Amino acid sequence: DTWRYAFEEALTDVQGVYATKFKEEIEKNSDHEVELFPYGTLGESADIMEQAQAGILQFVDQSPGFTGALIPEAQVFFVPYLLPTEPEQLNEFFRTSKAINEDFKGLYAEQGLELLKMFPEGEVAMTTQEPVKKPADLNGVKFRVMTNPLLVETYKAFGATPTPLPWGEVYGGLQTNIIQGQENPAFWIESTKMYEVTDVITFAGHSNFTTAVMANKEFYDGLSDADKKVVQDASAAAFEYIVDYQKGLTEESMAKIEKAKPEMTVNVLTEEERAPFKAAAAEVEKKFIEMTGDSGKAILDQLKADLKAVTDK
Ligand code: 6CS
């Protein structure tokens, strides 16, 4: 039989490389086949999620940036400056976190989804028309964010006018000046040519793009123990593969951007410049608790404990 797996990016982007590895592992270790559906073949992120919940798709990669309406707690990844920036610590956090590997599993299960893996896709950078050195530089900037209420709060706290949009509207929105900024990891800024429609890239270190791969739960629960193991093993192998694949990826992507558009301004904010952005985190954290109540607070506390365990090592 054939299992259908959709994701939010092209085959050659991070989610696509992960999915390709997952497919290879499944097909090597079982009689099942996996058919991959990259971005654009089945609709926007919200569409592929609906199809996965309906059981039309067996697997889906949807980033928490789009999962906020379904699972409000998944917005925790948009509390700025929460995750470590050091890659090995970050990877170890995703491997070992109880919040991610146990608590979130329960929340996804309530929505008919078996959470298989969460993984990081790289440090998020802002791309804008004008330099961003301080929050005031974002005043009046209509800044596209993924469709997620907490990210709206983050960019409000950063001083911008946040505009939630699905991915498909971002390039055109920048081109026609409906929006003047957006944020994403460097590989994505490069592969989707965001640098063609913005002039400045700013690294503020406020977040790492997190994504999540899940199965339709009814489908997963109906698998034999042997097939469940094949799926779990393939997920673990794809995780290790993708974190390794990403070593140096930001630098390579930035070099390609530099080559394609030498006049692009790239600013890496200093600690001093980051301070006012960091100061916004407390307010966003408060909003997160308001939106998600005890359940969100429990996840946030667990996540912080998991982070501490990794950074104390
Ligand atoms: O910003 C977005 O909407 C997209 N960014 C990435 C890195 N992957 C997929 C997502 O749709």
Side-chain angles (χ1 to χ4, degrees), residues 145-199:
V145 292
M146 296 167 89
T147 52
N148 153 354
L150 195 70
L151 199 47
V152 167
E153 294 302 332
T154 302
Y155 270 89
K156 265 191 207 159
F158 281 179
T161 305
T163 311
L165 289 174
W167 174 251
E169 292 175 42
V170 180
Y171 189 99
L174 288 164
Q175 206 171 24
T176 54
N177 200 31
I178 287 167
I179 47 173
Q180 296 90 35
Q182 67 89 37
E183 60 158 32
N184 256 308
F187 85 85
W188 186 254
I189 295 171
E190 192 277 320
S191 75
T192 64
K193 303 196 186 306
M194 282 296 105
Y195 57 84
E196 291 179 349
V197 284
T198 44
D199 292 330

Side-chain angles (χ1 to χ4, degrees), residues 8-9 66 144 146 167 184-185 188 209:
E8 304 168 319
E9 300 176 357
F66 291 118
R144 179 269 177 171
M146 296 167 89
W167 174 251
N184 256 308
W188 186 254
F209 194 98

